[in-house]
Amino acid sequence: KTVISLSGGGYSSGAFSNCMGITSVTIPNTIAIIGNSAFRNCTGLKSVTIPNSVTKIENFAFEGCSGIASITLSSNLSSIGKDAFRECSGLKSLIIPDSVTSIGEGAFLGCSGLKSLTLSKNLTKIEQRTFEECTGLTSVILPNSVTTIEGSWSNIYGAFQDCKKLKSIELPNSLKSIDNHAFDGCRSLLSITLNDGITTLGVASFSNCISLESVTLPASLDTIPNSCFYGDTALKNINIPSSINLIGLD
């Protein structure tokens, strides 16, 4: 068992990467930034205390820390970097404080044990792959600040892709765009109501949602793109408003 307490002003790239014997880390309140790959692949790490002095967690900081079951984030944290907690498969619950305005793509990709998620009320977008393959999630409520759920226009990646146990998603009135593959492969999703104000649906945004039975589309939408509901074999009820002038991209 290795327990370490640290001091200093920040952790540079890869400072403790691949230190698989570390089980617990206490970060002092002098630290403002946890740098790129700082604790990457510390697979034995079970407990992390992040003080309120930390304002930024950079790319890959805790990627592959599969032993972490819970983590309390700084109340002054403003950004979480790309792949910062990717493949933290032991993480069961997560509260992202309202101070956070930016979460990088893939930040929680593959957090398969995650069952409880509370998002910052000041997020404006969910980046591509942010919660991809979070196969333990059953429900998500997006805050009324999010305008975009991003997806990849060049690859088959979506924000909540392959969240296979996700049964419900509450979309806010602030939402304008759901991009490519956003909910592709959410096999347990039962119904979806797209609020008035959504103007863009991406390719395959709800494809392979094999339990999806009901879809309500808003009058603000004018196009249903290619493969939008492809493979949704349980779909029984979908309303198509008169505002729709194109089904399938020309």
Side-chain angles (χ1 to χ4, degrees):
K1 178 180 178 181
T2 304
V3 179
I4 59 174
S5 295
L6 303 167
S7 62
Y11 301 135
S12 59
S13 296
F16 298 96
S17 183
N18 295 310
C19 292
M20 290 174 278
I22 296 174
T23 58
S24 178
V25 174
T26 300
I27 298 171
N29 61 10
T30 54
I31 300 296
I33 296 172
I34 299 176
N36 291 341
S37 303
F39 296 95
R40 190 177 195 178
N41 293 326
C42 290
T43 54
L45 188 61
K46 293 182 168 77
S47 172
V48 182
T49 302
I50 297 179
N52 289 336
S53 59
V54 174
T55 59
K56 187 175 184 181
I57 297 174
E58 293 189 334
N59 300 346
F60 313 107
F62 293 94
E63 182 188 7
C65 293
S66 55
I68 295 178
S70 65
I71 191 163
T72 301
L73 298 175
S74 161
S75 62
N76 294 309
L77 187 66
S78 62
S79 66
I80 298 171
K82 175 182 177 180
D83 296 324
F85 293 93
R86 179 172 179 164
E87 304 293 345
C88 290
S89 56
L91 188 64
K92 292 180 173 60
S93 65
L94 179 66
I95 298 174
I96 298 175
D98 290 343
S99 56
V100 174
T101 58
S102 172
I103 300 177
E105 64 180 75
F108 298 96
L109 189 158
C111 292
S112 56
L114 188 62
K115 295 181 179 179
S116 174
L117 173 65
T118 302
L119 293 171
S120 165
K121 294 177 183 177
N122 291 300
L123 284 176
T124 58
K125 65 180 176 179
I126 308 296
E127 297 270 8
Q128 63 172 323
R129 309 197 82 183
T130 301
F131 297 103
E132 182 181 333
E133 295 179 7
C134 289
T135 53
L137 276 180
T138 58
S139 66
V140 172
I141 299 174
L142 297 184
N144 198 35
S145 55
V146 173
T147 60
T148 304
I149 300 173
E150 292 203 335
S152 173
W153 294 94
S154 58
N155 298 298
I156 306 174
Y157 300 135
F160 291 92
Q161 187 172 3
D162 291 328
C163 290
K164 295 180 180 179
K165 292 183 180 179
L166 187 64
K167 291 183 178 179
S168 67
I169 176 82
E170 187 173 316
L171 302 175
N173 291 328
S174 57
L175 191 63
K176 304 297 181 188
S177 176
I178 300 175
D179 290 349
N180 293 359
H181 300 280
F183 296 96
D184 185 356
C186 292
R187 301 169 64 89
S188 300
L189 195 62
L190 297 172
S191 66
I192 192 78
T193 298
L194 303 179
N195 300 320
D196 200 41
I198 294 176
T199 58
T200 303
L201 287 181
V203 170
S205 48
F206 291 95
S207 65
N208 301 305
C209 295
I210 61 172
S211 299
L212 189 63
E213 295 183 353
S214 175
V215 175
T216 301
L217 299 177
S220 53
L221 199 65
D222 64 9
T223 301
I224 300 174
N226 286 352
S227 302
C228 190
F229 299 99
Y230 174 84
D232 294 354
T233 53
L235 190 59
K236 298 174 183 177
N237 180 35
I238 182 167
N239 75 306
I240 299 178
S242 58
S243 60
I244 299 294
N245 55 47
L246 182 62
I247 298 178
L249 301 179
D250 57 6

